[in-house]
């Protein structure tokens, strides 16, 4: 009876789906962001543990893994491009550090949860991206996680334009990718 599954069955507490709630997702991501940005590579195991906790707490695990694979890689490619272009500079001259890769997986987990209200409001999504995207990177810069290769104002304006496009695009792609995965296995009978 020592497992989490038996505990949830006997207590009536349901774990699956808890992570889909807006407030839980907001609190989880705030903690996750701090773990990735403040702890960087030193706290990588904690970041991975928080990603695992997120998977435990959500209802559609396979859909989430698909979103991580597609949108997470997309975001990693965007930040890698910015790094190669000299907008970002990371320790040890890496193109993109492991903590930022992890952070992208966590961020795309907010698209269908805490950022879901923006899906039906593309203009608000653009404005949100234009303001909070650069703010997040600037916070990372202030905490020593990244250096900017250009003057602060140039970098923030560039990131503002990029995120004004990127956030609505990510939300649209999330809507497409979040459709439930249908089983291709036949359950019996004739075709």
């Amino acid at each position: 009876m020592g497992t989490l599954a038996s505990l949830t069955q006997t207590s009536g507490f349901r774990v699956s789906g808890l992570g889909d709630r807006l407030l839980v997702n907001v609190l989880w991501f705030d903690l996750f962001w701090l773990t990735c940005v403040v702890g960087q590579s030193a706290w990588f195991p904690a970041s991975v543990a928080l990603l695992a906790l997120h998977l435990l707490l959500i209802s559609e695990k396979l859909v989430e893994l698909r979103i991580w694979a597609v949108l997470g890689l997309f975001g990693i490619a965007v930040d890698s491009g910015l790094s190669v272009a000299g907008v970002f500079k990371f320790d040890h001259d890496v193109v993109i550090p492991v903590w930022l890769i992890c952070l992208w997986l966590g961020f795309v987990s907010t698209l269908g949860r805490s950022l879901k209200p923006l899906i039906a409001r593309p203009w608000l999504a653009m404005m949100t991206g234009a303001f909070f995207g650069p703010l997040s990177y600037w916070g990372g810069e202030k905490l020593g996680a990244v250096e900017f290769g250009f003057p602060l104002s140039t970098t923030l304006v560039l990131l503002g334009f990029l995120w004004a496009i990127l956030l609505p695009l990510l939300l649209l792609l999330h809507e497409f990718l979040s459709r439930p995965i249908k089983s291709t296995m036949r359950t019996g009978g004739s075709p």
Side-chain angles (χ1 to χ4, degrees), residues 38-51:
V38 173
Q40 298 173 36
S41 297
W43 292 4
F44 181 69
S47 299
V48 171
L50 285 170
L51 283 175

Side-chain angles (χ1 to χ4, degrees), residues 79-90:
D79 274 355
S80 295
L82 290 169
S83 179
V84 168
V87 176
F88 300 143
K89 294 180 181 180
F90 298 103

